[in-house]
Every structure is written in C-alpha cells, then in structure tokens.
Amino acid sequence: MLAHQTKAHYVPLDSVRGLAALCVVVHHFVGSDPLAAALPHRAWIDVAFFHNSWLFVDLFFVLSGIVISMSYVQSEFSGFDFRTFTLRRIARIYPLHIVMLFAFLAFRLMRLTLTELDLLHFSTNETADLQVNNVYSFVANVFLLHAMGVLDYLSWNGPSWSISAEFYTYLVFGAVVVLSQRLGYIKLVYVFSAVLAVMGAALIIFVLKNETLDFQTNAFTRCFLGFFVGVLTLRFVSGKGRSVSPFVQSACQIGAAVVAIVLVSVVGFDERLSFVAPIVFGALLGSLMAFPERLLPRLLSVRPLVWLGKRSYSIYMTHALILVLIQYFARGVGTGRLQIVDNILPGLAASLLLAVFVAAVLVLSNLTYLWVEMPGSRFVLRLFNRRAVPAVVAAE
C-alpha cells in the first residue's frame, strides 16, 4: 500500500498476489451452485486446482505479514507510530470496501424493487437473502467486524471477510511493534509473532475444533496463523542465501512453487493438509525474496503480471458483484439456450461465460483501482492526517 525503498522484492510478490487473486476469481465461478444448475457442462478449466483455490486466501495472509513487517519493522521500527500505521491501513482498505458494500446494497434494493414490481422473470428467494443481507450484517460489515465472530455466515460482499480478519490482525501487529519498541528490543517482534502464530493454530484446532483452514467465522484466528508466519518468514530469509549457487536458488524457488501448486490441487482429498499451506506459501515467497535475480522472480516482473498485481485488491473485492450479475444472466438466458452453444462443443458455454466474467472483473478492477483505491487512499490520509505522509500506492 505504501511506497517502499526496497522495490526489488515487491514486484514479484505483488505479481504472485495478482495471480492468486485471479485464481480465487475462477474458484468462485467453478464453485457457483447457481451456475452449475444453469450451465449444461462445466468449463474446460473446472478442475481440482481451482475448486481448491480458496487456499490462496492464506497466501494473502502470509504475504501481508511479509510486506507489513518489511515496511514497519525492517524500515521504520525506531520511528513506528501506531496512529499513523492504523491510518494507513484504513486508507488502504476502507475506500474500496465501503464502495463495494454500498454497491451491493444498491443491487439488493434494485432486486427487491424488481421483485415487487414482478419484473424478474425467474424466481428469487428474498427471505433467504434477507436472513444474511440485513441491517445487522450491514453494520458489522461497515466496521469490518464480520469475520470477528459476530456473524456465522457470509453476507453482502462475501470475500471481504478476509479484509475484516486482516484489519484487526494489523492492529495486533501494531501493538506488538509498539511493545517491542518500548522494550527496546526488535527481536521481540519475532518472539511475539511466533507465539501468535502458534496461538492462532491452537485456537483453530482446540477451541474452534476446525480440521481445515476453510472457514470464515472467527477467521481472525486463520489470519493470525498466516500473517505471523509471514512475519517470521521475512526474519528467516533476511540477508540469507546470497552465497548459495544459482542452480540451488532456482531449484528452491521452482520446487516451492511446484509444492504449492500440488498442495492446492490435492487439498480437497484431505483438508487437514491446509494447515501446512502457510509454511509452504512462506517458503515460496521467502525464496522469491532471498534470490531476487533468478528466472522465476524475473518472469513475475513482466509488465502484464505487474499490472495484475497492482490491481489484486480490486480484483478480489469486486469480483463477487460481477459473479452475481453473471449468475443472473445465466438464469435469465436459461439452460436450453445455453445448450445450443454447448452443442457446438461441450463446455463451450461455461468457458465463454468464464472468459466474459474474468474480463469484466479485470475491467472493473482497473476502474476501481484508478478511481477508488488510489484517490480514496489519498483522501483518507488528507482528511485525518495534517502531517505530510508518503504517497499511497498498491504495494501491500
């Protein structure tokens, strides 16, 4: 989110975030029950990897831990200010979150109006919708409380649950830095991070009794695990690896990438494997930072992936609304008409619809990045902070 002095590490990491966000977009398409009911055949890339791409949310958590700690521990530890840190976090996430929340509100009101006027030509379950998208859940979403145990269901802009979990994890991290700063010992940040990562895992397993990381209620525990593993990852790789041979460096990066892809592909067979994901993702991201001159970081630094990475937050936050519209479109067209397209080639209708969905998400995310994320961040910083602050960019 903030411009950093050490740019070499950020370009490939941002690109990884962009690719992961795109995988989450496809995941929600192939996992959509309304689309499965409307489409005659599955899309051509409707495979296990994308069905399990929910796991990339944990990569986001690990990556956030790396980026935030690099900014505020390695670079700004002695001058860390909790108020400025919190303001920057709010400026980064709130403008787009609020805009999308009200976009969903406008959509729900429009749908209610059309239903009352009997202008929708297919049935909708308004009662079930109002059970989750109501005033209580709206207020919880406004204050980013919806992943903190006050709701046991997804509501409004569903993917924003992870933003809720991250925001309050940021505050805990800020408190850790302040405490370590006042005690005058920077290594305490990593001691506390290790404790919090273990605590997150313990709460998930022994208190929440979850056997998988695929959950959104009380998701701050899931974020604790990933985020503070990210903080420890940065500590582990800092200043290491320069004497390792180029072959070993490349082998570490490619090996970690292969393990991550395989893990995502097979986690559906036993979701308890998801608990190793933060470590695997940490190894992948850590290897990219430790060996920035190898082929994989260079490939991740090509312009299209850099573009994608900068818009990753917008991609993640806007795609649910586009998906709802795609679902309505498919239901309105009907399975019979879609079958005509599939008669040309099985799966063609779903694959074309997926391509339209992804394209629409990229177009909208580019607009929200340029007109909501960036100016919104600057507006919040100017509004609440009269002191000079760095320009905000999408780097975290």
Side-chain angles (χ1 to χ4, degrees), residues 72 76-88 174 177-178 181 385 387:
Y72 296 102
E76 301 181 15
F77 178 74
S78 61
F80 181 85
D81 178 72
F82 186 83
R83 176 184 178 275
T84 301
F85 170 76
T86 303
L87 177 60
R88 289 175 176 176
V177 176
V178 169
Q181 184 187 59
N385 195 349
R387 294 175 295 177

Side-chain angles (χ1 to χ4, degrees), residues 1-4 7 10 14 67 88-89 91-92 309-310 369 373-374 377-378 381 390-396:
M1 292 170 233
L2 300 168
H4 299 289
K7 299 294 287 184
Y10 279 86
D14 285 346
V67 173
R88 289 175 176 176
R89 299 303 96 213
R92 178 66 181 106
K310 287 182 177 180
Y369 172 76
E373 277 194 64
M374 296 299 97
S377 296
R378 290 191 292 268
L381 290 173
V392 175
V393 297
E396 294 177 2

Side-chain angles (χ1 to χ4, degrees), residues 22 25-30 35 39 43-46 50 326 348-361:
L22 206 56
V25 169
V26 178
H27 161 73
H28 284 133
F29 182 96
V30 300
L35 288 177
L39 293 166
W44 297 327
I45 62 171
D46 188 344
F50 290 112
I326 290 288
L348 179 60
S351 298
L352 288 175
L353 200 59
L354 173 58
V356 171
F357 171 49
V358 172
V361 169

